[in-house]
Amino acid sequence: PFIAWYLGISLWQAFVMDVSFALFYMVYAFGFNWAYDRLFPLPEWKTAQASD
């Protein structure tokens, strides 16, 4: 409530903004980890794929 008051927005707008930030960072973290795992796979993954 204090931040909503400080920014001059309603509680509903503050809630939507908070949820938006949380969703953005969740999608960003998923995408970053997926890309990192694709670019730098673990050595165990390469041997598992070769034996399939």
Side-chain angles (χ1 to χ4, degrees):
F2 176 75
I3 300 299
W5 169 79
Y6 181 76
L7 293 175
I9 59 177
S10 70
L11 289 177
W12 177 250
Q13 289 172 319
F15 175 74
V16 170
M17 191 170 64
D18 187 43
V19 169
S20 299
F21 278 119
L23 287 174
F24 169 77
Y25 282 111
M26 209 167 63
V27 170
Y28 176 81
F30 178 80
F32 180 87
N33 283 302
W34 177 79
Y36 188 88
D37 286 343
R38 290 291 176 188
L39 291 172
F40 306 106
L42 292 174
E44 298 87 33
W45 293 352
K46 289 181 183 179
T47 57
Q49 288 176 352
S51 64
D52 288 342

